[in-house]
Amino acid sequence: SYATGPVEVKAYVAQISDYDDVFDADYTTDTAFGIGGSYDLGGGVSLLGGVHRDYAEEGYGELGVKFKF
């Protein structure tokens, strides 16, 4: 993770050595990865977003707002 001012960026890579024993599905890869970030708007409000690719090589994205009370 990396933070500077109101911006924070996080990334991950996950790999399993024998996914046939872990999952019932026949996935096409043993590596998943993603990157996401947040921007602090102040007053306990942040914008969040991220994208990742899973073990089935499908991509996902998310975007949202986080409130801290």
Side-chain angles (χ1 to χ4, degrees), residues 3-4 11 16 21 26-27 35 38 45 47 65:
T4 177
I16 50 180
D21 291 339
D26 185 24
Y27 291 137
I35 187 167
S38 65
V45 180
L47 295 177
V65 179

Side-chain angles (χ1 to χ4, degrees), residues 5-30:
V7 177
E8 183 177 13
V9 178
K10 294 183 179 185
Y12 76 92
V13 175
Q15 186 171 31
I16 50 180
S17 59
D18 192 1
Y19 55 84
D20 289 332
D21 291 339
V22 178
F23 300 108
D24 292 333
D26 185 24
Y27 291 137
T28 56
T29 185
D30 60 356

